[in-house]
Amino acid sequence: MYEPNVVGDWQEYDDEHAGLRIRVHGLEKAEPPRGRDDAAEGLIYFRFRVTIENRTTEHFGIHLEDGQLDIRIGTDGESAFLDWRNSQFIEGFDVYPLRRATAVLFAAAPESGLSHVDIQVQLKVDDEWTERYLWSGGIGLHEPAVGVGARPESAADGLAAQVISFLEREAGQGPAS
């Protein structure tokens, strides 16, 4: 079964792009540097980074722009607004051996969906499309400390509740004493 990466994890490429790896990281609330887009009125801005690292002995031409990213928020996977005016993409950059290139991207969405953010990236390397990869994370997942068996009030349907439920099930299946 295919499982998404967690925001911050590296994803290695295989086959013709072996030695190249990518990650989505730095997911956080942040205001855009050139001002808010009118289309994002009433939405909360967030920023994330996409870093490509070359661990081979040859260089690769990297291309990453707005059409190669899909950002979904909330449990229903609604589309987030990608602010291409404020984002810094990677357009035709040669990543030489043992070097990295990073795109800084700004998006906006309703605050209620930010606890579950999915970011899908399909990189273009030397004019060839790579496989799509998915990263999952969230903003605002830090909840007050919760004792075993207790439930946070507002996390009934959130990621935190799912994690707590999983840990409780695992704890209950431990070795018998």
Side-chain angles (χ1 to χ4, degrees):
M1 179 173 142
Y2 175 75
E3 293 184 22
N5 295 293
V6 174
V7 169
D9 286 351
W10 286 100
Q11 172 64 57
E12 302 278 341
Y13 284 99
D14 297 327
D15 302 328
E16 69 270 6
H17 302 114
L20 200 60
R21 66 184 191 160
I22 184 172
R23 77 175 174 157
V24 170
H25 59 105
L27 181 62
E28 61 187 357
K29 288 182 184 177
E31 284 299 313
R34 294 182 196 96
R36 299 175 63 88
D37 190 296
D38 292 341
E41 186 177 337
L43 302 177
I44 302 298
Y45 264 92
F46 60 97
R47 169 180 58 212
F48 62 95
R49 291 171 167 75
V50 177
T51 298
I52 296 96
E53 182 178 64
N54 184 356
R55 302 180 340 151
T56 69
T57 57
E58 60 184 275
H59 75 277
F60 290 102
I62 304 297
H63 194 85
L64 178 66
E65 60 183 4
D66 57 342
Q68 295 166 250
L69 296 153
D70 193 5
I71 306 159
R72 302 288 167 166
I73 52 100
T75 55
D76 289 334
E78 293 184 20
S79 182
F81 169 74
L82 178 61
D83 188 338
W84 59 268
R85 260 185 342 122
N86 282 294
S87 296
Q88 300 167 352
F89 297 100
I90 301 170
E91 299 180 43
F93 187 78
D94 289 336
V95 180
Y96 282 85
L98 304 177
R99 298 284 190 244
R100 293 180 177 175
T102 299
V104 180
L105 303 141
F106 286 86
E111 188 165 21
S112 61
L114 293 180
S115 65
H116 187 116
V117 179
D118 289 334
I119 302 168
Q120 184 172 273
V121 180
Q122 184 175 23
L123 193 61
K124 197 170 187 182
V125 179
D126 292 331
D127 294 323
E128 294 179 21
W129 293 104
T130 62
E131 188 172 340
R132 285 189 191 106
Y133 290 111
L134 178 68
W135 282 264
S136 289
I139 300 172
L141 293 176
H142 306 292
E143 304 204 13
V146 177
V148 175
R151 297 249 186 246
E153 295 174 23
S154 63
D157 295 323
L159 182 60
Q162 293 174 22
V163 170
I164 290 169
S165 176
F166 170 78
L167 292 174
E168 287 173 346
R169 284 194 312 272
E170 291 297 308
Q173 296 174 1
S177 11

